[in-house]
Each structure stands twice: as structure tokens, then as C-alpha cells.
Amino acid sequence: MSDSMPWMRQVWHVFAKDVLRHKWMLMLFVVHAFAGTMGGTQMLYAPVDSLSLLLLFFSLPITAAVLAAMVVLDDSPASATAWWPTLALSRQAVFAAKLLFVVGLIPLVLVVAMIALHLSLGVSIVNAIEYSLLGVRTSVLMLIVAIAVAALVKDLRAFVLAGVLLLVGLYFLLNLLMVESDAALEQLVRFTPNAYSLVLILVTGLLILATSHVYRKRSRSWYRTAAVLLLVPGLLMVQIKAAAATVRPDTNDTTDVLGQATLETELRRNVSGLQRGSELLTRVQLKGLAPDVQAALHLPGIRILGGESCRNAITLGEPFSVLHSPALPIPGDRVKWRGATPNVTYSANSLYSRTWGPYSNVSETCTLLPRAELHLRQPRVLGSVPLTIGATITRDGYRVVLLGANGRGAANQSRFSERGLVTTGELSSLPDYRGTLVSARTPLSYVLLHSGLREAVELEPTNNGSYARRGPVSQVVLNLAPRRAGSGDSMNFPESRAEMHQRLGFQTEGELDNWLRGAELLVFEWKLLAVIDLEPGTIGALHGRTDSMIGSIR
Amino acid sequence: MSIIHVRNLTHEYGRHVALRDVSFDIEAGSVYALLGPNGSGKTTLLQILMGLLPPTSGRVNVLNTSAAALTSAHRARMGYVAEGVRLPSSMTLAQLEKYVAPLYPTWDNALAKALRDRFQLDESRRIRTLSRGEHMKAAMLCALAPRPELLIMDEPFTGMDAVVKDDLVRGVLEMSGREGWTVVIASHDLAELELLADWVGFLHNGRLQLHEPMESVRSRYRWLEVITSSREAQLPRAKPIEWVWSESAGPRVRVLLAEPDEELLRRRAGEWFPDAQRVELHDASLRDVFVALTRQGHAGRGAVGALETGTDHRSQQTPAGAA
């Protein structure tokens, strides 16, 4: 028997052919990758046309997916008229060559572009490589999905159609899963970092195996197609759901964190003053928590079954409410928070209580399933800078640059724009960085601190949605308005300047101006210490009772 | 020695049965013509032989290996040309050759150049600029230049002009004879096949209706032409078993017979047509046999029937009528 080309050489041979064949598209992608990534820098330093930069940035994964599909479809396992299976080529070698191109070469371009960006921002080469590799994980997973889909279709048009259908289907699936109660899925997404990695590796591995099987058999039997079609949304779901979920610490031992703290809850019903339906009110009391720990009540498990109003209620995102705000980790006396929610004294770290009722539009037929989480976090100050343009904080992979005013802010931003302090750029990589499709990192927190008066105002990033968190560089516009208790999302709350001043506790705008002149920007991140499940049993164990914190409304 | 060994092969596309219980062998060094009307299962059979399709059931061995388990080393000994197979459109012919050649240790550059010259292919042209016929020639070049032990061709002459076709047939014949290539070819160019093939298979509705040496086909099938004294020729009430196909117009009758014994036929002609004025016997071409078998749809069962029990096909030259 004559010897054929060795397996590894076959892989390289097909890979080289693909590179040669798609060299123009590849060059275009390289240009796009650098322009799209470096575009983030432009967004930092000048109020340029952000829309085109965003388009450039967001079109990058689409270009990558199309390039991946073209490479796969070149030697399509699905096409009945494909020529390559008749050649003296191992099918697995062809698949390996496609993998090498799609999850090797394409991400390499992205990594190099990101390293260049990091280096241009003054990050060390070691850190630049580390952050870039972390940042490219999402792209790799998405490209594996692209390979799997492309392996099932006959041409590029079918690939685009399949991609659109997949996204639409996923949207409805996610909506369905969010609206309908699915305890199993809810359990699945309560990831620790290790569990998340395991699930991701498992699903990704299975998807690669299924695609490899499609190559080997070169036929789309129903079960192969079904396997890929189940695994692709599965992988995306793991990413999306995990992005939305909290990455929990691996240890469940909360004894040290909780100390002698106790949590008490009391279910109330209050229908007074409501136009329709019922408002669910729960009184939550947390006692004895360490002063430097933040406690926030999250309701990730809330599933509201019922009418349209319920559906609307949960699309606002995961609600949370800060129960206990820690003292800022700065030397000296405690700081007084300005403009905080009435009845909350942030500087007092022992007894603290507030009522919670985020769903004023819940109709009578809705059912709230009993699950809530208590997130305990500790702030870590990254640095503070005076309110001057160009001031920079660099620490552990973060690089925060205060930029010029964009002058386009709403009323509650204008005070900052007059002082040239609206935009803030971030360059970050947190330890719990997950590189998911939706969220690249946990957003930072910003506080204006007046050291002389020992007063602080928490700033709300108004564009901390998914795009601002994505990628190595993001832009954040800060609002003077403090974060609203009871809402964790980034909705804008139109507010007049006068109202804003009043809410921050200033009598006049001039008073606010004076205050700002003596203030500095404090940037800090939150380290998640523990997540405590507040099932009815847990609550009972915490405070000796077994009443249900959240129950049905009739 | 069989280079292809097929037993009880069935292939289904959903509910449609493309091949039904097909069994045959092909000896190394033979040129096998696979005939059959459109949709008879030829392409499916060839794709299964190449390992491009998994059979639904049955056993298919190629180069002493299950077709489903053919490796790149096996494929390095095989060549495949099929109508409709798309070569990489953006490559030039030179790039295509450069890509394919290293995959085959037996690739013959001189032969590739000779074929390129013969086919008048410009190596600097991109595949997408080639005409349909030139595309087939390029595919043919890639399949022939490695000097394959087993060459499988599905409608390879599509778009080729008569001269090139003739050259190709001669070339393949020469190679097959000199180097012992085994060639399996499905084509509607029956004249070329008649020159080329030493064995013939006929597929109809997924069944192998005929499988025998070309010599046997040539000697067994012949036309009987009879002119009767009646204004309208009277055909026998029961169709004689030797008859494959018949047509009549006035006193003239034309019958394709499956019987090699000429004396016997002349005797039988007298019995079938008592009022015959003139009886003539002519050789039938492969085209005549193909058309008649296609029309008749179920001829030659006897020739294959014994095969299906596993008897060596070379001994299966039993006339259809004797079954």
C-alpha cells in the first residue's frame, strides 16, 4: 500500500491552502480587528462619532463568524458535491485544519490587536498578553459555534439564515425560560468559577465532538443535526445565563463573613395607593454585619407566572437592594453619604433596615417563587484622583482615565460636563473575569469623595450596559445621581437639575459646584465574599423562624 | 482477485430505496461499465464505493477494506471523477495541482502535464472561469495524474468534445491494460463505454439487472429482423423467454434477443413467425441493449440471480433466456 501524507502534514496542508485561499478576507479581517479594537481607544480620548466606532467594534465578531463559515464551507462536510472527501485526506485532519484556522488563527489576530491596544495604553507586556488571552475566550467559543453551524449548512446564505434563526430562537428560548419557572436551570446557573469552567468545557467539548462526527460521517443524519442544534444553544445559554448570574466564590463557608450577623424578614402586604394589583412588601433586617462588608439582597430566582404585567416586571433585570453599605475603606472617620435613600444611614454599620417592593405592577394573579440571595461584598479601592482631565488610575490591570467633557449629557450630567469630567475610560480585568458573551467583567464603582467634609456621593454609570462592559476598553458616563436603591440595572431616571441638587442635599447649584471643587474621584471594585441562599429554610435557620419571605399573592 | 466486493447492498434515502439488495464483484484490472437510466442508483452506488455515503445495509469492500472505513492511505490509491463535483473555484489550475499532488505519493507530474496539454487547459486560469467541460477535464486530470489503482468515474465525459473523449477513452484503456488499473465508469456515452469496458452492469430501479462481460453481452444480444407475408405481422401470444424487446410495423418485426446460439435462433424464428419471408440476425450494440433493457425494465434476471448467491461472476454468462 502506498503511504499517504502523514496526518499532521495533512492538517498543515489544508490549513495553508485555506490561508492562501482566503488571504484577502483574512487581511480585511486583520485591518478590521485592529481598527475595531483600537477604535476603543478613540472612544476614550475624544468625543468622536461613537456610533461608527461601535459599529466597527460590533461588526468584528460578525466578520469573524463569516470568515469562519467561509473557511468551513470551503470543504463542507454537508455538501453532496464536495470534492475534498474524494481526495486522499483524512476527514479528521480536515476538521483539525478548520479548527486551527477558526479557533487558532482568527483569535490570534484578535489577541495581537488587543495586545497592541493594551500596550498603547501603557500596560505591561505580560499583563497585556494575559488580558488579551482572557478577552479572546468569548470569541473562541463563538467561533466554535460558527464552525458547528457552518458544518451543517450547504452555503454561506444558509449559514447566515441559520445564524439569524438561532439568535431569534435563542431570544425566545431565553424569554421562555425567564418567564416560566425552571428550577433546574436556575440551579444550573448558580455557578462557582470552577463549576462554570467545568460546564463550559463539557459543553464546548461535546460540541466539538459532535461537529467532528459530522465531518467524519459526512452526512447530516437527524441525530447529528439534533446534537449540534441542541449543543449550540446550550453553549450560548451557558454563556448568557452565566453572564447574568453571579460567579460565586468556590467556598460556601460564610461563617467568617457573617460573624454574628442575623437576618430577619417579615412579609407584608400593602395595597394602599396602588392603581392596580398588589405590591409585595418585605421588611428585611440585617444586624451585626462587619462594617467593611456590603450586603445586597438579590432576587435572581424570581419567576413571576401570570399575565403580561408579570412578564414586564421581570424584564427589567435582576432586582437587588443594598441592605448594608460598608464604610468606605479609607483612613480616618466614617464618611457621610449624600443623597442616599431616606431612612438609610450608610455610615451606621450595625442596625439597618429598609423595605423592599420593586414590583408595584405585579398583578393579582402573579406568583413569586421563594428564592433570594444575599450577596456579601467587600470594596477594594483602586485609587483616587483629583477631578482633572487626564488623571489616571492604574492598578492590577485597571486603567481609568478621566477624559474631557462631551457636553451632551442630560441635566443630571451637566454639572460634570462643565467641569470636563463626564467620560471615564476603563481598562480592566477582574479576578472573576469570565469573558462571556454579554459581560466581560464586573463594572467598577465610582464615588466622589470630599475628604475635607467627609462626605461622599456614589456615581451611577449611565451606560454600564453590556457593550460598555465588553472588551478591554469601555467608556463610562457618570451620573451625579446616586444609584437608586432597589434597582440594579442601568435605567436612566430623568431628573431635573433642581431635583438632583435637592436629592443630593444641596440647596443651590452653587453649593454643589463648591462641593465638587473640593472633591476627588474614588474608584473601587467589589470582591464577592459569599452568596447566601435565602430559601425559606435558610431564612428560618438564620433567625429561628420558617416563614416564607416571598409568597403567593391572591 | 476482487478489488470491489459488494453483497446485499441496500441504500435508502428516507423512504426512497435507491439500491436494493445489490451484489457483485469487480476484478482487479477490469474496466466496468455501469449502465442504467436516470435515477437508477448509479451515482449512489459509486458514492458508496468511494465511501462518500454509508450504505443502509449490506457489505461493501473496496481494496479489501470496508468502504466506510477507507482511510487517506486507501484513497491515495483511488481516483474519483463525478459530474457536479465542485473544485475550489478560486484556485488556478496550477494551484489546484500544487494542492492535490502532495496528497498522492504516486502523483506523476509528467502525466499531469501531458493531460493538461491534451485537454488544452491553461494552468493559470482560475477554476471558476472554466467551462463545464474544462471543469470536468481538470477534475479528470486530478484523478488520473496519481495513477490510481482504482478509478471511479461518474459521467466523466460530460461537456467533452468527441476528440478529447476519444483520446481519454484510449488513454484510460491503455493505462488500464498497461498498469492494471481498475476502472468503474457510469456514463450515458454508450459508444465510448463499448470501446472501454470489458464488463457491464445494468441498474434499474436500484436493482442490478445485468452483470456480465462485455463479450458475453455482444455475443448474446442480437437483433432478429423478420419480414412476414402478412400485412400485419402476428407476434406469438406468449412472449418467448429469449425476447428482450420487440417492435413491429406492418409486416416487419424487430426483436432484440438474448441468445448467443445463431442456429437455434433461426430455428426458433421459424416457429415464432411461420409466415416469415425473410429472417436476418444482426449484432446489437451496447446502446441497443441499454435502450431495450431500460424499456423492458426487468431483463437478465437469470444472469444476476446466480450471482446473488455468491457464485463467481466470471462464470455467470448464462443467457437470460436460459434462466
Side-chain angles (χ1 to χ4, degrees):
Chain A
M1 182 186 291
S2 59
D3 292 330
S4 61
M5 187 185 270
W7 195 87
M8 278 307 294
R9 268 194 66 201
Q10 287 184 31
V11 175
W12 186 249
H13 191 65
V14 176
F15 173 76
K17 182 265 292 179
D18 285 336
V19 171
L20 189 72
R21 203 172 162 195
H22 296 284
K23 57 179 180 293
W24 296 116
M25 185 70 187
L26 198 56
M27 282 182 195
L28 185 70
F29 177 69
V30 169
V31 172
H32 191 171
F34 275 83
T37 310
M38 298 301 276
T41 318
Q42 290 297 314
M43 289 167 68
L44 282 178
Y45 292 116
V48 293
D49 182 3
S50 298
L51 181 64
S52 26
L53 287 172
L54 273 179
L55 284 177
L56 196 62
F57 185 74
F58 275 116
S59 57
L60 196 54
I62 296 171
T63 314
V66 168
L67 177 58
M70 286 170 72
V71 169
V72 171
L73 289 167
D74 234 13
D75 300 310
S76 167
S79 169
T81 56
W83 179 59
W84 69 270
T86 71
L87 299 176
L89 277 170
S90 154
R91 292 170 187 184
Q92 299 302 303
V94 173
F95 177 59
K98 302 299 171 186
L99 271 182
L100 183 61
F101 192 110
V102 176
V103 300
L105 186 59
I106 295 178
L108 181 66
V109 172
L110 294 173
V111 164
V112 171
M114 282 197 278
I115 288 176
L117 172 63
H118 282 95
L119 291 178
S120 76
L121 293 172
V123 178
S124 73
I125 181 72
V126 176
N127 284 347
I129 292 171
E130 183 190 346
Y131 306 149
S132 302
L133 287 176
L134 283 170
V136 86
R137 285 195 310 188
T138 301
S139 304
V140 169
L141 293 172
M142 190 200 67
L143 288 167
I144 289 172
V145 168
I147 290 186
V149 174
L152 289 178
V153 298
K154 287 183 177 174
D155 53 33
L156 201 58
R157 197 168 50 175
F159 173 78
V160 172
L161 184 67
V164 171
L165 287 176
L166 190 68
L167 291 178
V168 171
L170 200 64
Y171 172 79
F172 282 109
L173 188 65
L174 278 172
N175 255 3
L176 186 73
L177 290 175
M178 284 177 77
V179 172
E180 301 299 330
S181 174
D182 188 333
L185 186 76
E186 199 54 49
Q187 288 297 318
L188 180 72
V189 299
R190 293 163 73 179
F191 291 117
T192 64
N194 285 345
Y196 171 71
S197 300
L198 275 176
V199 171
L200 201 60
I201 289 169
L202 183 70
V203 178
T204 308
L206 283 174
L207 185 58
I208 291 175
L209 277 179
T211 311
S212 162
H213 196 62
V214 170
Y215 262 86
R216 195 158 63 85
K217 292 296 179 187
R218 242 202 97 247
S219 97
R220 291 175 300 165
S221 64
W222 67 268
Y223 58 87
R224 279 180 215 118
T225 306
V228 172
L229 288 182
L230 281 175
L231 284 167
V232 163
L235 181 58
L236 295 176
M237 288 275 291
V238 167
Q239 286 216 66
I240 291 170
K241 293 294 284 183
T246 305
V247 174
R248 294 165 172 237
D250 274 320
T251 172
N252 288 319
D253 185 8
T254 56
T255 313
D256 293 342
V257 183
L258 271 176
Q260 297 301 310
T262 58
L263 183 78
E264 291 182 2
T265 62
E266 183 183 347
L267 180 64
R268 293 179 176 180
R269 290 173 191 171
N270 182 358
V271 294
S272 61
L274 288 174
Q275 299 278 324
R276 56 178 184 169
S278 304
E279 182 173 25
L280 181 70
L281 292 178
T282 303
R283 183 179 177 83
V284 184
Q285 286 188 307
L286 186 66
K287 298 176 184 174
L289 194 64
D292 59 342
V293 175
Q294 182 205 52
L297 184 68
H298 286 248
L299 301 164
I302 276 207
R303 292 291 180 269
I304 305 173
L305 310 177
E308 192 60 31
S309 61
C310 306
R311 193 182 299 257
N312 291 337
I314 64 157
T315 54
L316 295 178
E318 177 183 317
F320 75 89
S321 178
V322 175
L323 299 183
H324 176 257
S325 192
L328 283 176
I330 53 173
D333 296 332
R334 296 242 160 77
V335 171
K336 176 190 174 190
W337 291 87
R338 294 197 72 111
T341 310
N343 305 324
V344 176
T345 309
Y346 282 91
S347 56
N349 63 9
S350 55
L351 181 62
Y352 163 63
S353 68
R354 66 171 260 99
T355 55
W356 170 75
Y359 295 128
S360 59
N361 63 340
V362 173
S363 70
E364 289 187 15
T365 56
C366 294
T367 303
L368 302 185
L369 299 183
R371 190 188 150 207
E373 291 172 351
L374 189 65
H375 290 200
L376 301 175
R377 296 173 190 272
Q378 203 166 31
R380 186 174 73 116
V381 176
L382 294 176
S384 64
V385 286
L387 301 184
T388 52
I389 296 171
T392 304
I393 297 170
T394 305
R395 183 175 163 184
D396 295 348
Y398 289 96
R399 185 178 165 89
V400 180
V401 183
L402 305 189
L403 301 171
N406 62 15
R408 295 179 302 178
N412 53 355
Q413 296 173 354
S414 60
R415 188 56 58 182
F416 269 109
S417 58
E418 284 169 19
R419 293 181 177 281
L421 236 178
V422 173
T423 50
T424 299
E426 295 173 10
L427 175 63
S428 63
S429 176
L430 283 176
D432 62 350
Y433 182 103
R434 281 171 289 167
T436 62
L437 273 176
V438 172
S439 174
R441 56 177 171 69
T442 307
L444 299 177
S445 288
Y446 305 91
V447 164
L448 283 179
L449 174 71
H450 195 300
S451 301
L453 300 173
R454 307 301 294 174
E455 288 180 344
V457 172
E458 189 178 5
L459 299 173
E460 183 185 15
T462 58
N463 58 345
N464 66 343
S466 58
Y467 84 85
R469 295 184 199 180
R470 193 186 167 97
V473 174
S474 62
Q475 179 193 43
V476 175
V477 177
L478 300 176
N479 259 338
L480 254 183
R483 190 185 295 275
R484 283 204 165 185
S487 172
D489 57 54
S490 58
M491 292 177 66
N492 276 318
F493 299 98
E495 189 173 30
S496 73
R497 184 180 293 187
E499 285 173 340
M500 182 181 72
H501 296 151
Q502 285 171 12
R503 203 150 63 76
L504 288 173
F506 296 105
Q507 298 303 314
T508 63
E509 291 181 27
E511 201 176 318
L512 173 61
D513 285 346
N514 285 335
W515 192 91
L516 287 172
R517 284 192 191 98
E520 60 184 329
L521 181 70
L522 192 66
V523 183
F524 58 98
E525 64 176 11
W526 294 95
K527 178 177 166 52
L528 186 64
L529 302 174
V531 176
I532 301 167
D533 293 318
L534 297 182
E535 310 288 349
T538 312
I539 297 167
L542 271 173
H543 62 93
R545 287 160 47 187
T546 53
D547 57 342
S548 189
M549 186 180 70
I550 306 171
S552 301
I553 306 171
R554 289 291 174 199
Chain B
M1 190 186 76
S2 295
I3 196 165
I4 291 174
H5 176 80
V6 177
R7 284 293 174 276
N8 309 113
L9 168 63
T10 294
H11 188 79
E12 297 167 1
Y13 294 104
R15 289 181 181 174
H16 172 68
V17 183
L19 294 170
R20 299 164 194 267
D21 202 24
V22 171
S23 298
F24 67 95
D25 289 276
I26 295 178
E27 296 296 309
S30 58
V31 178
Y32 190 93
L34 186 62
L35 308 181
N38 290 336
S40 58
K42 300 189 297 293
T43 297
T44 300
L45 177 56
L46 296 186
Q47 287 189 338
I48 289 173
L49 294 182
M50 272 304 287
L52 301 178
L53 273 180
T56 305
S57 65
R59 189 152 45 98
V60 179
N61 280 1
V62 176
L63 299 171
N64 292 323
T65 306
S66 166
L70 289 171
T71 63
S72 54
H74 291 107
R75 285 182 211 284
R77 299 160 61 195
M78 299 166 74
Y80 180 75
V81 185
E83 186 189 15
V85 165
R86 291 178 301 172
L87 303 176
S89 61
S90 62
M91 282 187 179
T92 63
L93 189 60
Q95 287 170 339
L96 186 71
E97 282 183 40
K98 201 175 165 190
Y99 175 56
V100 177
L103 301 174
Y104 294 89
T106 54
W107 181 273
D108 185 338
N109 278 318
L111 177 59
K113 184 176 183 316
L115 286 167
R116 207 185 313 125
D117 292 343
R118 167 60 64 191
F119 293 152
Q120 295 181 307
L121 289 170
D122 179 356
E123 64 177 351
S124 65
R125 281 180 66 188
R126 295 203 180 276
I127 299 299
R128 64 167 162 264
T129 67
L130 300 179
S131 68
R132 192 172 166 213
E134 287 170 326
H135 191 276
M136 282 303 290
K137 288 174 188 173
M140 189 76 85
L141 187 156
C142 292
L144 295 178
R147 297 182 174 274
E149 282 177 50
L150 172 61
L151 181 61
I152 295 177
M153 300 192 282
D154 188 3
E155 296 296 347
F157 305 123
T158 307
M160 290 187 187
D161 56 55
V163 177
V164 175
K165 227 185 278 185
D166 189 58
D167 276 353
L168 195 65
V169 169
R170 287 174 200 285
V172 170
L173 267 181
E174 188 189 324
M175 291 287 191
S176 173
R178 196 176 62 206
E179 303 197 14
W181 292 6
T182 306
V183 182
V184 181
I185 178 168
S187 172
H188 287 108
D189 287 285
L190 299 173
E192 271 70 31
L193 288 189
E194 197 159 14
L195 280 176
L196 205 63
D198 47 24
W199 273 78
V200 179
F202 180 79
L203 271 173
H204 193 270
N205 283 338
R207 290 188 188 281
L208 191 62
Q209 306 280 31
L210 175 82
H211 172 81
E212 62 183 272
M214 183 65 86
E215 274 309 307
S216 164
V217 172
R218 285 201 190 101
S219 64
R220 188 155 68 92
Y221 289 92
R222 46 186 84 227
W223 285 109
L224 171 68
E225 286 191 3
V226 179
I227 299 176
T228 62
S229 54
S230 316
R231 286 181 66 186
E232 290 290 331
Q234 296 294 311
L235 302 182
R237 281 187 186 173
K239 187 177 142 191
I241 202 162
E242 298 90 341
W243 288 27
V244 177
W245 176 254
S246 64
E247 54 194 12
S248 63
R252 284 175 173 271
V253 181
R254 199 159 175 258
V255 183
L256 183 71
L257 301 166
E259 170 55 59
D261 189 337
E262 193 171 327
E263 281 308 308
L264 175 66
L265 283 178
R266 287 187 183 280
R267 237 182 8 253
R268 297 295 302 275
E271 295 167 12
W272 296 328
F273 303 103
D275 54 349
Q277 289 185 329
R278 206 172 85 192
V279 174
E280 289 181 2
L281 283 168
H282 305 290
D283 288 343
S285 68
L286 187 60
R287 182 180 179 283
D288 295 331
V289 176
F290 171 76
V291 171
L293 287 178
T294 302
R295 285 176 173 161
Q296 195 225 27
H298 49 80
R301 295 289 296 151
V304 180
L307 255 185
E308 289 168 350
T309 62
T311 316
D312 181 4
H313 70 273
R314 288 210 180 267
S315 65
Q316 297 307 310
Q317 300 180 23
T318 317

